Amino acid sequence: AQSVTQLDSHVSVSEGTPVLLRCNYSSSYSPSLFWYVQHPNKGLQLLLKYTSAATLVKGINGFEAEFKKSETSFHLTKPSAHMSDAAEYFCVVSDRAGGTSYGKLTFGQGTILTVHP
Amino acid sequence: KAGVTQTPRYLIKTRGQQVTLSCSPISGHRSVSWYQQTPGQGLQFLFEYFSETQRNKGNFPGRFSGRQFSNSRSEMNVSTLELGDSALYLCASRVGVGTGELFFGEGSRLTVL
């Protein structure tokens, strides 16, 4: 079985300050992990993905995430927030091999990021 | 390369009616998934189709159904609409089942009155 927990439902930062969105996962098999972003009334856009290569993954718009197996975490960070980063962010886990959930993606509940001027 | 296209983008129905939503995946993608998004429940997986066969299924009642055509286009149908079916329905495509990330359309927003 797989699951994902986004530890904060809302995060508020000032423009130019760092962003940290936290995600913990549970997976019976080697997972793939993703972060998606959703702007209001839009579909989801892939920010970055981890599929067992480098544990530090760089994505679009300056975001990156680090896969930490010992902590079962995949936190999303950005050094300096921009007003355009205000959106909802989803952490996603997928079992890459084996099990009845093979190929099935499980989404976290989302974290709404607010960026203040 | 065209993205995932969903139609219609917005629609309003009344309780008891049925609705059909359409999704055209990215060219070359053979897997199509459907999700329901509501403020209270978040993103919930409905089903995934690959090569015209349902491969994965979420925990929704039988009123929710789908199908996939030979050109990989997919439709989902909701019968006997209830107020609680009001949601953003998102379609996503990927190359195949178990092969990585999903590419999402912009969604169909259904309002049930």
Side-chain angles (χ1 to χ4, degrees), chain B residues 73-99:
Chain B
R73 191 177 71 83
S74 177
E75 290 181 346
M76 68 162 283
N77 184 276
V78 188
S79 63
T80 319
L81 284 166
E82 300 175 0
L83 294 178
D85 297 333
S86 295
L88 181 66
Y89 290 87
L90 290 165
C91 170
S93 74
R94 55 181 172 173
V95 173
V97 175
T99 56

Side-chain angles (χ1 to χ4, degrees), chain A residues 32 34 36 38 41-46 49 51 88 90 92 94-96 100-109, chain B residues 9-10 35 37 40-43 45 48 56-58 88 90 94 97-107 109:
Chain A
S32 291
F34 311 87
Y36 283 85
Q38 184 180 31
N41 296 312
K42 296 289 187 182
L44 280 71
Q45 180 186 18
L46 181 69
K49 63 179 178 180
T51 54
E88 188 165 15
F90 294 92
V92 183
S94 175
D95 284 334
R96 285 191 293 115
T100 57
S101 63
Y102 177 61
K104 195 171 181 179
L105 281 75
T106 299
F107 284 74
Q109 283 296 100
Chain B
R9 290 293 315 281
Y10 302 92
Y35 290 81
Q37 187 177 29
Q41 299 297 319
L43 266 167
F45 172 71
E48 180 174 20
N56 282 309
K57 188 178 187 302
L88 181 66
L90 290 165
R94 55 181 172 173
V97 175
T99 56
E101 70 267 30
L102 295 170
F103 294 83
F104 283 84
E106 298 219 321
R109 183 165 294 282

Side-chain angles (χ1 to χ4, degrees), chain A residues 16-85:
Chain A
T17 64
V19 175
L20 170 64
L21 306 182
R22 299 181 295 165
C23 172
N24 285 351
Y25 71 91
S26 172
S27 174
S28 302
Y29 299 90
S30 300
S32 291
L33 293 156
F34 311 87
W35 276 99
Y36 283 85
V37 60
Q38 184 180 31
H39 289 91
N41 296 312
K42 296 289 187 182
L44 280 71
Q45 180 186 18
L46 181 69
L47 275 178
L48 50 80
K49 63 179 178 180
Y50 166 78
T51 54
S52 84
T55 56
L56 182 62
V57 182
K58 294 187 184 300
I60 61 171
N61 301 334
F63 284 95
E64 62 181 38
E66 186 171 8
F67 173 71
K68 292 187 176 180
K69 187 175 181 179
S70 61
E71 299 176 11
T72 60
S73 70
F74 190 58
H75 302 333
L76 181 70
T77 61
K78 183 174 180 178
S80 176
H82 191 273
M83 295 295 291
S84 61
D85 295 329

Side-chain angles (χ1 to χ4, degrees), chain B:
Chain B
K1 203 174 192 180
V4 177
T5 304
Q6 292 187 245
T7 56
R9 290 293 315 281
Y10 302 92
L11 65 166
I12 300 173
K13 294 286 187 178
T14 57
R15 278 179 299 177
Q17 286 186 312
Q18 73 166 14
V19 66
T20 299
L21 308 178
S22 180
C23 173
S24 294
I26 291 172
S27 177
H29 286 192
R30 296 173 62 195
S31 165
V32 173
S33 298
W34 289 91
Y35 290 81
Q36 182 196 66
Q37 187 177 29
T38 60
Q41 299 297 319
L43 266 167
Q44 294 186 282
F45 172 71
L46 280 154
F47 27 66
E48 180 174 20
Y49 285 86
F50 177 79
S51 292
E52 303 177 65
T53 302
Q54 189 178 90
R55 299 304 179 104
N56 282 309
K57 188 178 187 302
N59 189 27
F60 277 80
R63 299 187 297 109
F64 292 81
S65 62
R67 59 177 176 168
Q68 187 180 33
F69 302 96
S70 58
N71 62 357
S72 295
R73 191 177 71 83
S74 177
E75 290 181 346
M76 68 162 283
N77 184 276
V78 188
S79 63
T80 319
L81 284 166
E82 300 175 0
L83 294 178
D85 297 333
S86 295
L88 181 66
Y89 290 87
L90 290 165
C91 170
S93 74
R94 55 181 172 173
V95 173
V97 175
T99 56
E101 70 267 30
L102 295 170
F103 294 83
F104 283 84
E106 298 219 321
S108 293
R109 183 165 294 282
L110 170 65
T111 301
V112 181
L113 302 176

